[in-house]
Amino acid sequence: MLRFLKGLLISFGVLFLVLVVGAVVGLRYVANQWQPEPLPEHMVLSLTLKPELRETSVGALPFENVFNPGSPSLLDLVNILKAASEDERVQGLFLDLSAADVRPAEAQELREAISRFRASGRFVQAYADSLEGNGGISTYHLATGAESIALQPSGLLDIRGISLSTPFFGEALEKLGIEADFRTRHEYKGAAASMTSAAFPPPIRQNYRRLVDSLYAGIAADIATARRLSPSSVNGLIDTAPLTAGEAKSNGLIDQMLYRDQAIDAARARADGARLVPLTRYWNDADTENDDETPTRIAVIAVDGPIVRGRAPLFARDRQAAAQSIVDTVEDARKDTRVKAIILRVSSPGGSYVASDTILHALSAARADGMPIIVSMSDMAASGGYFVALAADHVVAHPNTITGSIGVVSGKLNLSGFLGEYGVRTDSVSAGRNADMFSMTKPFSADESARLDAVLDTIYEDFTTKVATARRLGPAEIDAAARGRVWSGEDAKRIGLVDVLGGYAEAEGLARDAAGIAPETRTALVAYPEPRQDLNAFVTALEDGEIGESVSRLDALLTFIRYRGIIESVLNSTGGDRIDASAPPINVR
């Protein structure tokens, strides 16, 4: 029966593939015959910023770049604004932030790109129907990079500040008879605190207090400067938020109360009635990167998401920085003769220590082979996300980047008491004294506890030694920077963990210097691995008679579906990596 169903599904699958091929070939023919209307000679670009920006346009799913072409990444936006600032046809930008939910360092990256765009003589009109909810103050921080801000008359300006919070399950677990036995190196490492405590332990609270104050101070200072207000006025307005549109305007935080159509008309009037062109269309149609004019490339490789071992799965559910995929990408960039330097763009809370070390080794080998490595930190580059930066010639971070967290954590939940309450007993037979060391139905034995502590001590010593060597820090300096502390980019520079404050522009300048690129030579920041032409490759494979391979893939998919439940239950029971080098699960608003 299973064989019959498998054959039937494969038949349907092949038929579907043939239909897709026919549709794609037909669309390709039509596209080749159709010539799009050329871009106007005078235009205002419009960008509706969506939440969940990717660092680069390298998609996690097959065909993502084909079926979702209207979602530029953070790197795309930086490149597009740079190209537009050099295009005489572009007069300005209409920036709609109604749906935006940007994190602090992302806001700084885009704000700096907008400032460079404005410095070329173009204008930027920011608009939102309402700025409220998560990320409100960060999104408003981005808006202050524009010369004019409009809010719908019924909208709110929700800039209540920055809150860092996490739920604590320590007391609840204790009442349930569940023991949370997690070990950290050292007292500031907060990744497991929510499982072991009822509130922030004093050292972690002190560290987080410093982090929140640093992030808040930088944002408030930028708002005060951009809006020509005193710092005390800005602090007072933040403390009384959320503000109505009328209150925001009367206090100088916005310039106009307009509906979207009115704000668009105002932007077009600034450009003598120039046409409004979606930035995504300009992105697709404009010659923003001419390989003949800019053969010199600086590869941008993203470490985006938790760091895990192995390669990224074909259909990944969530973003993750898979070590072997990143190693392969580094190797591809090394082999590309057009690439003169690598910018490693890190947006990660960390993860597997082994995976982080795998990435570090590949970057160190590339640097030893003469490839300059510049690390550019995005919103978070902590723990394992900081560890991978140790191979860099220079480390760049935004003032609002969250970094550091130099430490390690491991442990488990012991459910034996909870299960015993309900009459559940477990038994096991094992070979090897520590075979069931991480079993959640028993506590650590004395020997297991000692072994775990020894491993954590070794990893922490390796981590701090490598940081001290790479950053040229003495014993007292590394102890003051490490022990699990998290830092803002501003503070990380002060204590020697970061070299330069800034984003892509500063990283590109450092990459050019490190690679010895002449000032007159044009360079392009290009995401690696380069976006796959999925449909083209797919059609080509089928045109070459590779149906058999496609059938094999369908057969493998069916086999995967059959055993998926078993595989997931095994993974859930093992718990994945036992030693974690991740940042604390914090939520910055």
Side-chain angles (χ1 to χ4, degrees):
M1 184 65 179
L2 179 62
R3 184 175 297 176
F4 170 75
L5 290 175
K6 183 184 294 185
L8 183 64
L9 288 172
I10 289 175
S11 299
F12 278 119
V14 172
L15 178 61
F16 173 74
L17 294 179
V18 171
L19 291 174
V20 169
V21 171
V24 171
V25 171
L27 289 172
R28 181 184 289 176
Y29 175 79
V30 172
N32 289 336
Q33 303 301 312
W34 177 67
Q35 296 297 324
E37 180 185 358
L39 292 170
E41 289 302 312
H42 300 284
M43 57 183 150
V44 174
L45 301 181
S46 68
L47 169 62
T48 299
L49 197 63
K50 299 177 181 179
E52 292 298 319
L53 277 174
R54 282 191 177 275
E55 283 296 329
T56 68
S57 56
V58 178
L61 298 174
F63 311 118
E64 181 173 344
N65 296 313
V66 176
F67 291 113
N68 190 25
S71 299
S73 67
L74 188 56
L75 175 60
D76 291 328
L77 293 175
V78 170
N79 283 335
I80 295 165
L81 288 173
K82 180 181 179 181
S85 69
E86 300 169 353
D87 190 337
E88 294 182 355
R89 299 172 298 176
V90 176
Q91 310 299 306
L93 172 70
F94 176 76
L95 178 63
D96 188 342
L97 298 173
S98 300
D101 181 7
V102 292
R103 294 173 290 187
E106 292 173 341
Q108 286 184 318
E109 184 72 69
L110 285 176
R111 195 173 186 270
E112 291 167 7
I114 286 172
S115 295
R116 294 190 293 272
F117 179 78
R118 286 182 58 191
S120 69
R122 278 79 178 172
F123 70 88
V124 178
Q125 166 76 60
Y127 163 81
D129 58 357
S130 191
L131 282 176
E132 55 184 287
N134 293 338
I137 194 168
S138 292
T139 305
Y140 178 69
H141 184 210
L142 167 58
T144 60
E147 61 195 83
S148 179
I149 304 173
L151 197 65
Q152 185 169 303
S154 56
L156 291 177
L157 185 60
D158 188 0
I159 52 170
R160 287 168 290 148
I162 295 177
S163 172
L164 189 157
S165 62
T166 188
F168 287 90
F169 302 98
E171 288 184 357
L173 292 176
E174 185 178 351
K175 290 178 180 179
L176 290 171
I178 299 173
E179 177 193 14
D181 189 352
F182 291 91
R183 324 291 176 83
T184 62
R185 298 298 182 270
H186 281 280
E187 69 272 26
Y188 296 98
K189 189 72 174 177
S194 65
M195 306 296 288
T196 59
S197 304
F200 288 124
I204 295 175
R205 175 177 292 278
Q206 176 193 28
N207 183 214
Y208 287 2
R209 175 82 266 167
R210 170 73 194 190
L211 175 64
V212 168
D213 287 344
S214 180
L215 297 176
Y216 177 91
I219 291 174
D222 283 347
I223 292 173
T225 301
R227 301 304 302 177
R228 297 181 177 86
L229 299 171
S230 69
S232 60
S233 296
V234 170
N235 291 333
L237 290 168
I238 290 173
D239 286 342
T240 57
L243 303 169
T244 65
E247 290 171 331
K249 185 175 185 299
S250 64
N251 285 284
L253 294 177
I254 66 171
D255 300 288
Q256 301 160 306
M257 292 190 295
L258 302 172
Y259 290 93
R260 190 175 191 275
D261 59 330
Q262 296 170 330
I264 290 174
D265 289 342
R268 293 186 62 216
R270 287 284 308 272
D272 297 325
R275 283 180 55 188
L276 196 71
V277 174
L279 184 136
T280 50
R281 187 198 161 192
Y282 180 80
W283 176 34
N284 291 324
D285 294 356
D287 188 15
T288 58
E289 183 187 336
N290 188 311
D291 286 339
D292 295 331
E293 294 181 5
T294 58
T296 302
R297 290 184 170 191
I298 296 173
V300 177
I301 300 175
V303 178
D304 191 5
I307 300 173
V308 298
R309 294 157 53 202
R311 287 187 171 85
L314 185 63
F315 293 95
R317 296 178 184 177
D318 302 300
R319 297 186 198 180
Q320 55 181 223
Q324 194 56 51
S325 296
I326 294 170
V327 169
D328 294 342
T329 303
V330 171
E331 188 62 26
D332 289 344
R334 289 175 65 182
K335 292 178 180 177
D336 192 333
T337 57
R338 298 168 296 178
V339 174
K340 304 304 179 187
I342 291 174
I343 292 176
L344 190 76
R345 180 71 171 189
V346 183
S347 179
S348 173
S352 165
Y353 188 75
V354 171
S356 302
D357 194 38
T358 299
I359 296 170
L360 177 64
H361 175 74
L363 294 169
S364 298
R367 186 182 177 196
D369 196 37
M371 178 68 74
I373 307 290
I374 309 298
V375 166
S376 174
M377 295 179 171
S378 187
D379 193 66
M380 178 177 284
S383 202
Y386 183 80
F387 187 80
V388 299
L390 299 180
D393 293 273
H394 302 284
V395 178
V396 182
H398 289 286
N400 285 348
T401 295
I402 299 173
T403 188
S405 194
I406 299 168
V408 62
V409 59
S410 186
K412 67 177 182 179
L413 294 175
N414 171 22
L415 305 179
S416 59
F418 172 75
L419 296 175
E421 277 294 313
Y422 295 93
V424 179
R425 301 289 185 266
T426 60
D427 198 0
S428 66
V429 176
S430 59
R433 186 167 56 185
N434 295 335
D436 57 356
M437 177 175 173
F438 283 97
S439 169
M440 292 196 297
T441 60
K442 59 178 281 295
F444 289 118
S445 68
D447 288 342
E448 290 169 345
S449 183
R451 181 90 291 266
L452 178 59
D453 285 337
V455 171
L456 292 178
D457 288 338
T458 299
I459 292 175
Y460 182 76
E461 178 67 21
D462 181 59
F463 197 164
T464 53
T465 298
K466 286 178 177 175
V467 173
T469 301
R471 303 304 306 171
R472 298 180 178 86
L473 300 176
E477 292 172 311
I478 187 62
D479 190 63
R483 305 186 72 85
R485 295 176 179 89
V486 289
W487 305 95
S488 69
E490 186 89 39
D491 285 341
K493 182 177 184 298
R494 176 179 55 80
I495 62 175
L497 297 181
V498 166
D499 298 305
V500 175
L501 293 178
Y504 274 119
E506 290 74 17
E508 182 178 8
L510 291 169
R512 289 176 63 97
D513 291 343
I517 298 173
E520 65 274 9
T521 302
R522 291 177 60 86
T523 54
L525 299 182
V526 181
Y528 275 68
E530 293 186 82
R532 295 166 295 161
Q533 299 299 319
D534 296 289
L535 285 177
N536 287 336
F538 186 61
V539 171
T540 301
L542 291 174
E543 288 174 347
D544 289 343
E546 297 179 12
I547 296 288
E549 181 179 351
S550 300
V551 172
S552 298
R553 290 183 184 276
L554 280 171
D555 184 55
L557 178 61
L558 288 168
T559 303
F560 169 75
I561 292 171
R562 181 183 179 188
Y563 292 107
R564 177 176 177 178
I566 300 174
I567 294 170
E568 288 189 343
S569 66
V570 171
L571 288 176
N572 289 335
S573 66
T574 60
D577 284 339
R578 297 301 183 187
I579 307 298
D580 193 46
S582 60
I586 57 178
N587 211 1
V588 179
R589 299 302 183 196

